[in-house]
Amino acid sequence: MQPQISDQILYSFLTGGFSASSSTTTTTTSPFYPFAIEEDTISQDRALAALRNHKEAERRRRERINSHLNNLRNLLSCKSKTDKATLLAKVVQRVKELKQQTLEISNETLPSETDEINVEDCSNDDGRIIFKISFCCEDRPELLQDVVKILKSLQMETVYAEITTIGGRTRNDLVVVADIEQHGVESVKYLQNALKSLLERSSQSVVMRRGGGGVERSKRRRGVDHIIMV
Amino acid sequence: MQPQISDQILYSFLTGGFSASSSTTTTTTSPFYPFAIEEDTISQDRALAALRNHKEAERRRRERINSHLNNLRNLLSCKSKTDKATLLAKVVQRVKELKQQTLEISNETLPSETDEINVEDCSNDDGRIIFKISFCCEDRPELLQDVVKILKSLQMETVYAEITTIGGRTRNDLVVVADIEQHGVESVKYLQNALKSLLERSSQSVVMRRGGGGVERSKRRRGVDHIIMV
DNA sequence: TCCTACACGTGAACC
DNA sequence: TGGTTCACGTGTAGG
């Protein structure tokens, strides 16, 4: 049932016993012993040395691991008393959070591959209508002016705008406000339709540019432009 | 030097030996033994049970820790072979990176408490001057219009703008371009001076508002506005 | 007294 | 073979 115990005892007698009489003395006091015994002491000596190496290597390994754990304790500003399992659980949670965070930042700021329009009514009841507009499309120089024209024609004021352009595509997040007297529930539809035609114009201009036309603007299509305006 | 070895042997004989004859049988076969011996077997029984509990608790603890480590392996998409120390080192590095990242995001997007202006010449040699403008100041409704006026008067075009407003303070990051023919090295100075007077106007308007004047705009001072425009 | 968490030394498996 | 990593059971300290 527990065979390792007897082995362990035997082993302890063998190594532990000889360890008590010090491995350095065995070789110096052994010349008068028969050859077989001397060989034994030598092999035991080696085994003992191996065991000592093993022991110390294992200690170093533990130290390495624990030092990393302490680093994590500091990074998460945990008390030094928090036990390993709980600490690691917190680390797992933290890494998940941070990964999620950066993922969200990417999703919320980078243009999507497909054209998209989203208009959300975020009005509160203070007499103003608030729309959060978000759309992704091919970039073109006149895009912003066209957006401004649309909003002006609808008598909407931009209070926040975030525009990110990368690889020829652009993402625009706008917050616009309007007086409630000049707008009804149908304003969202107007806005969406206007933006839809805007995006179609962008697509067409891309087709034209890629078909054969000018190569100008190619410089602006490198890297990331990220612009915020009120 | 190694006192624990002899103890260990003794302990192994005591617990291991009796464990071989099964703890369940000792109580049933012991009624004919003297009282003292029976008490011994009972206490040994208990010690044995304690040892078993201890052993299993330790196993559960190891499982808990290792399960968290495996979670981390998956989160960092490490191979299952990566050893604990290396894995933890990578975790430490990753957490540091992510912390740094979020810190930078905060520093680069949130308005500072003090008014600041920074104009950086990022021109490349393609016939256009490029300025990266960044300034933090008190927010006011006309601020953007004033900025636009300044840039227009200097015949500069905004190609990127990122504006974040929180707690009544605003941070503006702009990238503006201008033709090299219309501008010399002194343009930076013009720009800086114009922005400086802009910020002074913002400060004055705040003093006025806070002194006694209108309470309007108080709603806009809650939460975060983050706007990007091209 | 029991429970919990840790460090330790050791056997085993893998290069 | 030696070096390295892991799991295991145990001793031990603190609650």
Side-chain angles (χ1 to χ4, degrees), chain A residues 12-23:
Chain A
S12 298
F13 271 123
L14 279 173
T15 59
F18 276 98
S19 96
S21 62
S22 175
S23 60

Side-chain angles (χ1 to χ4, degrees), chain B residues 115-228:
Chain B
D115 287 6
E116 288 172 11
I117 301 176
N118 196 297
V119 179
E120 195 184 344
D121 189 341
C122 299
S123 307
N124 43 27
D125 45 4
D126 68 340
R128 292 198 304 174
I129 299 178
I130 301 175
F131 288 134
K132 286 192 180 173
I133 303 170
S134 177
F135 64 88
C136 300
C137 66
E138 293 291 325
D139 189 29
R140 56 188 169 88
E142 324 78 27
L143 185 63
L144 184 65
Q145 300 167 28
D146 292 350
V147 173
V148 171
K149 271 184 207 162
I150 290 174
L151 296 176
K152 192 168 255 175
S153 75
L154 288 170
Q155 292 185 307
M156 292 172 172
E157 184 198 1
T158 305
V159 293
Y160 176 92
E162 175 165 342
I163 296 164
T164 309
T165 305
I166 177 170
R169 289 196 64 81
T170 181
R171 177 193 172 102
N172 297 250
D173 292 286
L174 312 173
V175 179
V176 300
V177 300
D179 278 344
I180 201 146
E181 294 101 25
Q182 292 154 356
H183 288 272
V185 281
E186 73 283 1
S187 294
V188 191
K189 291 285 170 200
Y190 284 132
L191 198 50
Q192 281 174 331
N193 285 333
L195 291 172
K196 203 178 286 183
S197 64
L198 187 78
L199 262 60
E200 281 163 10
R201 256 181 289 165
S202 287
S203 304
Q204 285 165 13
S205 81
V206 165
V207 171
M208 279 167 54
R209 281 204 309 274
R210 292 193 177 155
V215 218
E216 116 280 36
R217 258 194 83 269
S218 63
K219 274 220 176 74
R220 283 192 59 194
R221 311 192 68 190
R222 301 171 191 281
V224 184
D225 273 344
H226 184 73
I227 303 186
I228 307 188

